């Protein structure tokens, strides 16, 4: 990401202190002269940073009393603060767990167990323990899929679903190399103007099945209120717009690049094009934390962080499996779950999803 001006770095420093609860309502910020010495800058630079924070509704300056955190954050910032704090607490837990030597699979398993403890309404079954047969997922990140997997693991603990997010293309490759049982993808093919099938045919010529998880609303994610007036792709070239991108091979990146090409916009002209993250949630979080002005992602991610969303397209997210799925008991159980009213009802609780095709199966390269 391009280097920010010093006043923006100062503003970001105090914004994070407020977002993370390290500065509370009424706490005073350092005197302008003291902070200018600390940051080796002019008092005017500090004043500009404080002015930006005041315009965001985070601080208030009073003559003779200095600058302090506001007594009550504005609704939009309060909602953002709540969401960012939750993510920050989750990240702190992950960091502590990694420090203690746990790996990602162990942490995910612990989280699922904890959720089970909170949500379990009845006593544990007295049936003899069955040997676990893990289902391995590899592919594109999707909030609804995670939401479903938590429920699936509760209902079918004998078939825990292990998830790895490498992007749509990475998921299909992992499936072809027998490193996954399920691939999740939403790859847009420019030539046919369709999703997924052309890529599945090329990567899995021996044949596969695809089950639609849902159609998802994708578009521009901007700060609440869209203070910079972002309206679409041409604005990505503006000097005052910082973009956060998705990794190469992700379906979101493929769609974005095709849009840029159609409008003859060079990637190098976009500030932040090379700044990539691996999930829609990460992209939305950077916008919520004012580390980026715009992301291209899901409406569901925008809502999580109480950000603005401008709809661009309805894309299809598919779950892909090899033709021998019928020999895998766990996959059959999972397919039945995806095609059940329970799964559709859970997806419908999230914003930005169309479930009219959910559970529909098609055979590819038969």
């Amino acid at each position: 990401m391009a280097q920010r001006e010093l006043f923006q770095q100062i503003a970001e420093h105090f914004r994070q202190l407020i977002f993370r609860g390290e500065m509370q309502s009424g706490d005073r910020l350092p005197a302008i002269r003291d902070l200018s010495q600390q940051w080796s800058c002019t008092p005017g630079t500090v004043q500009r940073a404080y002015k930006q924070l005041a315009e965001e509704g985070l601080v208030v300056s009073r003559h003779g009393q200095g600058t302090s955190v506001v007594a009550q954050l504005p609704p939009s910032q309060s909602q953002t603060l709540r969401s960012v704090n939750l993510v920050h607490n989750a990240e702190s837990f992950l960091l502590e767990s990694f420090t203690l030597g746990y790996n990602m699979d162990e942490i995910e398993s612990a989280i699922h167990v904890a959720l089970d403890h909170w949500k379990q309404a009845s006593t544990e079954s007295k049936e003899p323990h069955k040997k676990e047969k893990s289902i391995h997922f590899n592919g594109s990140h999707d909030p609804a899929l995670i939401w479903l997997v938590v429920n699936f693991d509760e209902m079918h603990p004998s078939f825990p679903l292990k998830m790895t997010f490498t992007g749509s293309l990475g998921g299909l490759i992992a499936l072809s190399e027998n490193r996954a049982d399920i691939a999740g993808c939403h790859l847009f093919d420019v030539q046919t103007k369709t999703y997924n099938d052309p890529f599945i045919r090329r990567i899995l010529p021996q044949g596969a099945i695809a089950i639609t998880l849902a159609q998802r609303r994708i578009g521009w994610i901007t700060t609440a209120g869209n203070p910079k007036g972002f309206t679409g792709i041409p604005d990505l070239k503006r000097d005052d717009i910082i973009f956060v991108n998705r990794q190469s091979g992700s379906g979101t990146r493929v769609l974005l690049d095709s849009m840029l090409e159609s409008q003859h916009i060079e990637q190098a002209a976009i500030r932040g094009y090379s700044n990539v993250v691996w999930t829609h949630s990460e992209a939305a979080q950077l916008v919520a934390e004012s580390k980026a002005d715009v992301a291209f992602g899901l409406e569901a991610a925008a809502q999580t962080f109480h950000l603005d969303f401008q709809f661009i397209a309805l894309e299809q997210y598919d779950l892909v499996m090899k033709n021998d799925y019928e020999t895998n008991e766990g996959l059959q159980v999972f397919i039945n779950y995806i095609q059940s009213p329970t799964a559709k009802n859970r997806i419908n609780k999230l914003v930005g999803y169309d479930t009219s095709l959910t559970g529909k199966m098609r055979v590819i390269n038969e």
Side-chain angles (χ1 to χ4, degrees):
M1 180 181 293
Q3 182 67 37
R4 290 188 168 193
E5 293 186 41
L6 185 56
F7 85 91
Q8 293 174 314
Q9 297 178 41
I10 296 173
E12 172 65 13
H13 170 74
F14 287 103
R15 187 183 296 112
Q16 287 302 309
L17 291 180
I18 296 170
F19 277 177
R20 293 178 177 175
E22 297 176 34
M23 292 195 73
Q24 305 286 333
S25 297
D27 287 353
R28 291 187 62 179
L29 278 67
I32 290 176
R33 186 173 298 278
D34 292 342
L35 196 62
S36 65
Q37 293 177 353
Q38 179 182 340
W39 284 74
S40 300
C41 63
T42 66
T45 299
V46 177
Q47 288 177 330
R48 192 174 177 188
Y50 282 6
K51 181 181 178 182
Q52 179 172 319
L53 293 171
E55 290 174 348
E56 295 172 6
L58 298 177
V59 304
V60 59
S61 298
R62 294 187 177 89
H63 183 69
Q65 298 181 26
T67 301
S68 59
V69 180
V70 294
Q72 184 175 0
L73 293 174
S76 61
Q77 292 287 10
S78 181
Q79 294 278 22
T80 298
L81 171 60
R82 186 171 183 271
S83 300
V84 170
N85 276 338
L86 179 60
V87 173
H88 175 64
N89 289 336
E91 289 177 340
S92 297
F93 164 73
L94 287 174
L95 179 60
E96 180 181 1
S97 299
F98 286 135
T99 301
L100 292 174
Y102 296 104
N103 61 39
M104 182 60 76
D105 284 342
E106 291 172 320
I107 296 170
E108 288 181 349
S109 177
I111 291 173
H112 290 155
V113 170
L115 286 170
D116 285 341
H117 289 168
W118 279 98
K119 295 182 178 180
Q120 189 70 29
S122 59
T123 57
E124 293 185 1
S125 172
K126 301 300 182 180
E127 295 180 0
H129 177 69
K130 297 180 181 179
K131 184 179 179 180
E132 290 190 349
K133 300 177 182 179
S134 298
I135 304 169
H136 294 275
F137 169 92
N138 194 310
S140 175
H141 171 258
D142 181 79
L145 180 60
I146 295 173
W147 180 237
L148 291 182
V149 167
V150 171
N151 183 239
F152 177 78
D153 282 350
E154 290 175 347
M155 296 175 63
H156 304 285
S158 296
F159 302 103
L161 207 154
K162 310 296 185 182
M163 307 189 76
T164 302
F165 298 120
T166 59
S168 294
L169 188 59
L172 290 177
I173 293 173
L175 183 62
S176 72
E177 296 177 348
N178 297 316
R179 292 185 287 109
D181 303 304
I182 305 172
C185 63
H186 57 107
L187 289 164
F188 179 71
D189 182 64
V190 178
Q191 282 70 38
T192 63
K193 306 297 182 185
T194 61
Y195 276 93
N196 300 326
D197 288 20
F199 296 91
I200 297 173
R201 291 191 181 96
R202 288 194 290 269
I203 298 174
L204 296 161
Q206 70 274 26
I209 65 163
I211 301 172
T212 300
L213 177 73
Q215 291 177 298
R216 319 185 302 180
R217 286 169 57 88
I218 191 168
W220 303 112
I221 299 174
T222 63
T223 306
N226 192 16
K228 293 194 175 180
F230 181 86
T231 59
I233 281 186
D235 285 344
L236 290 177
K237 297 188 297 183
R238 286 167 41 186
D239 290 338
D240 64 331
I241 295 292
I242 298 177
F243 181 65
V244 57
N245 206 353
R246 291 294 306 282
Q247 83 278 11
S248 179
S250 69
T252 303
R253 176 75 166 264
V254 170
L255 179 57
L256 172 70
D257 287 347
S258 70
M259 293 165 58
L260 293 175
E261 184 177 357
S262 68
Q263 297 201 26
H264 308 290
I265 294 178
E266 296 291 334
Q267 299 169 356
I270 301 173
R271 292 183 66 192
Y273 181 88
S274 60
N275 177 41
V276 301
V277 294
W278 286 77
T279 69
H280 293 279
S281 300
E282 290 177 281
Q285 182 181 347
L286 289 181
V287 176
E289 294 178 342
S290 298
K291 294 179 180 177
D293 301 303
V294 181
F296 187 57
L298 296 180
E299 184 175 16
Q303 188 211 33
T304 298
F305 290 93
H306 303 280
L307 302 170
D308 281 10
F309 178 80
Q310 299 175 26
F311 174 75
I312 292 296
L314 194 64
E315 62 174 14
Q316 184 163 311
Y317 186 104
D318 287 328
L319 300 170
V320 184
M321 306 171 205
K322 289 186 175 180
N323 281 335
D324 61 358
Y325 70 94
E326 293 180 336
T327 64
N328 186 318
E329 182 184 359
L331 289 183
Q332 293 184 64
V333 172
F334 182 70
I335 290 172
N336 290 336
Y337 172 74
I338 292 297
Q339 294 177 330
S340 71
T342 297
K344 181 177 289 189
N345 290 338
R346 285 180 72 84
I347 297 175
N348 283 331
K349 292 180 180 179
L350 301 176
V351 169
Y353 289 87
D354 180 334
T355 58
S356 59
L357 297 178
T358 295
K360 184 176 180 180
M361 180 188 294
R362 60 188 189 278
V363 179
I364 301 170
N365 283 352
E366 186 176 27

